[in-house]
């Protein structure tokens, strides 16, 4: 483990409130730590806070969740490594980072894969992704759930209505080959970068903009440096709740079942909260002088279809996942 991760692991260890120890009272609480890169008002955080109450009730007070927001425990790449190394139980992370462990996760990052949020919810509630989510166990991971992170769009200093508008524009993406290829296919220059660096990078003209949902755009005040948000609707990228496998295996079967149950139930809760809060965060950005621009997405869709073809040819697993998802579209 790197010195940076060792320091983060020490922070995690010191942040544990009450841990159930041998000889401790029966009602002592084991707090399961969850790393998150956004604030506690985010729908994912709120859904997991509600799940924590259910978990504590189902386990008769033995377990609950504690969310560490705003990259307190490091960026997503760092917290994934902490989960893998067992220094942290759970982390919320963007799907593209899982491609570094299994390239078939790239299917979930294909542009224009889901027809709607309803289509995405139906997939996430089904068993279509179970095999994919279990594929990381040899790397000490287990994906417990997928949450919507809405529809991702491009924001910069001007409207992006055609692929030509993106020519020469460096757009921040997560550290993922699929994401880089996506923006390149759309006409821009995909530029991998940690989320916490984006504001300053746009301000200093290292990049011209970013691509994300309205929640991230507003909560991180990216409208201050990239005031035009164009609805390219290129991606419905999920966020994944990943767990340390050894931690899961250490749980009593009944407690593990309770954990899995409340997490699965939290998926539909998170989608509902997302839809409820979307208008609020968009208005906040508009009040701060952000401009939201509607876009004819067909030219972008046509450019991105080559990514579908390449991905489904990459492996039998990728094609199986792709066919299952598209088969659930209405």
């Amino acid at each position: 483990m790197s010195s940076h991760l060792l320091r983060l692991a020490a922070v995690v260890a010191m942040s544990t409130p009450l841990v159930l120890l041998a000889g401790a009272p029966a009602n002592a609480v084991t707090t399961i730590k969850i790393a998150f890169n956004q604030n506690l008002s985010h729908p994912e955080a709120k859904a997991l806070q509600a799940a924590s109450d259910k978990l504590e009730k189902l386990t008769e007070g033995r377990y609950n969740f504690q969310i560490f927001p705003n990259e307190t425990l490091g960026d997503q790449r760092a917290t994934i490594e902490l989960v893998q190394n067992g220094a942290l139980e759970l982390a919320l992370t963007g799907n593209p980072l899982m491609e570094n462990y299994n390239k078939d996760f790239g299917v979930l990052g294909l542009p224009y894969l889901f027809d709607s949020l309803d289509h995405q919810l139906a997939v996430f509630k089904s068993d279509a992704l179970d095999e994919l989510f279990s594929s990381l166990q040899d790397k000490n991971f287990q994906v417990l759930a997928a949450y919507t992170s809405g529809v991702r769009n491009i924001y910069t200093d001007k409207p992006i209505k055609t692929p030509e508008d993106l020519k020469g524009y460096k757009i921040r993406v997560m550290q993922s080959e699929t994401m880089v290829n996506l923006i390149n296919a759309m006409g821009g220059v995909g530029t991998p970068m940690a989320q916490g660096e984006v504001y300053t990078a746009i301000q200093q003209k290292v990049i011209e903009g970013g691509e994300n949902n309205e929640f991230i755009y507003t909560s991180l005040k990216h409208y201050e440096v990239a005031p035009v948000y164009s609805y390219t609707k290129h991606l419905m990228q999920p966020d994944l709740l990943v767990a340390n496998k050894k931690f899961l295996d250490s749980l009593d079967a009944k407690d593990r079942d309770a954990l899995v149950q409340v997490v699965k139930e939290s998926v539909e809760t998170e989608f509902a909260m997302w839809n409820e809060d979307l208008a609020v965060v968009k208005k906040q950005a508009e009040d701060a002088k952000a401009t939201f621009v509607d876009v004819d997405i067909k030219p972008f869709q046509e450019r991105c279809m080559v990514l579908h073809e390449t991905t489904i040819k990459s492996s039998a697993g990728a094609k199986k996942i792709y066919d299952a998802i598209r088969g659930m579209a209405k």
Side-chain angles (χ1 to χ4, degrees):
M1 194 184 303
S2 69
S3 58
H4 174 66
L5 287 175
L6 284 170
R7 288 194 296 272
L8 285 174
V11 171
V12 173
M14 289 187 293
S15 301
T16 305
L18 291 172
V19 179
L20 190 61
L21 302 172
N27 62 350
V29 178
T30 296
T31 294
I32 300 169
K33 300 176 291 296
I34 305 176
F36 190 38
N37 70 334
Q38 304 302 325
N39 60 47
L40 292 176
S41 66
H42 192 281
E44 290 170 20
K46 291 195 292 186
L48 282 169
Q49 286 169 331
S52 179
D53 294 337
K54 293 181 180 178
L55 179 64
E56 192 159 4
K57 184 175 181 179
L58 285 174
T59 61
E60 299 177 337
R62 290 188 298 277
Y63 291 93
N64 64 16
F65 294 144
Q66 182 180 12
I67 301 169
F68 290 80
N70 301 319
E71 295 191 342
T72 306
L73 302 181
D75 65 18
Q76 290 186 347
R77 185 181 291 274
T79 56
I80 288 172
E81 292 184 36
L82 289 174
V83 171
Q84 186 178 27
N85 291 324
L88 182 64
E89 294 90 357
L90 303 176
L92 279 159
T93 183
N95 176 75
L97 294 180
M98 288 294 101
E99 294 174 43
N100 298 315
Y101 302 93
N102 180 350
K103 288 191 177 297
D104 287 350
F105 276 87
V107 175
L108 301 183
L110 285 174
Y112 305 105
L113 175 68
F114 298 102
D115 289 358
S116 65
L117 287 179
D118 286 342
H119 176 204
Q120 189 181 51
L121 176 59
V123 172
F124 291 175
K125 288 175 61 181
S126 75
D127 60 2
L129 303 178
D130 286 359
E131 186 175 341
L132 176 66
F133 288 174
S134 298
S135 68
L136 304 175
Q137 291 187 3
D138 63 336
K139 298 176 175 64
N140 207 25
F141 283 134
Q142 173 73 43
V143 177
L144 296 182
Y147 298 117
T148 190
S149 59
V151 184
R152 296 175 80 101
N153 305 281
I154 288 176
Y155 50 88
T156 183
D157 60 349
K158 68 178 184 180
I160 301 298
K161 291 193 171 184
T162 68
E164 289 70 30
D165 291 332
L166 274 175
K167 185 176 181 180
Y169 264 46
K170 296 185 290 295
I171 303 298
R172 177 267 172 181
V173 296
M174 285 180 276
Q175 295 98 323
S176 154
E177 182 180 354
T178 299
M179 290 295 294
V180 171
N181 292 340
L182 188 163
I183 295 299
N184 292 350
M186 291 177 68
V189 181
T191 307
M193 184 179 295
Q195 184 68 270
E197 301 172 10
V198 176
Y199 186 105
T200 301
I202 298 175
Q203 191 177 46
Q204 296 178 350
K205 302 190 184 305
V206 174
I207 57 176
E208 278 70 44
E211 58 81 44
N212 221 311
N213 59 62
E214 296 94 331
F215 283 86
I216 305 302
Y217 179 64
T218 300
S219 67
L220 298 182
K221 298 185 178 181
H222 285 176
Y223 50 74
E224 294 180 348
V225 290
V228 184
Y229 189 97
S230 301
Y231 278 109
T232 50
K233 300 180 181 178
H234 55 272
L235 190 59
M236 295 184 193
Q237 183 76 257
D239 283 341
L240 305 177
L241 183 65
V242 298
N244 175 268
K245 184 177 182 298
K246 289 183 180 178
F247 161 69
L248 292 177
D249 290 344
S250 73
L251 295 175
D252 173 89
K254 186 176 179 181
D255 290 335
R256 179 174 178 172
D257 288 346
L259 172 62
V260 171
Q261 176 186 329
V262 300
V263 167
K264 284 186 175 180
E265 290 173 354
S266 73
V267 173
E268 193 159 5
T269 301
E270 189 269 342
F271 269 78
M273 289 179 170
W274 186 280
N275 289 326
E276 289 173 6
D277 292 350
L278 184 58
V280 175
V281 297
K282 182 177 177 180
K283 186 177 186 307
Q284 288 174 354
E286 288 176 326
D287 289 345
K289 309 303 181 186
T291 301
F292 290 83
V293 178
D294 288 327
V295 176
D296 176 6
I297 65 173
K298 187 175 180 180
F300 295 104
Q301 285 178 308
E302 291 173 347
R303 278 177 164 252
C304 289
M305 284 305 104
V306 64
L307 299 180
H308 287 230
E309 296 166 9
T310 301
T311 299
I312 62 178
K313 289 178 181 178
S314 65
S315 74
K319 186 176 187 308
K320 181 179 179 181
I321 297 163
Y322 181 87
D323 288 345
I325 293 172
R326 291 307 307 159
M328 295 179 71
K330 293 181 179 180

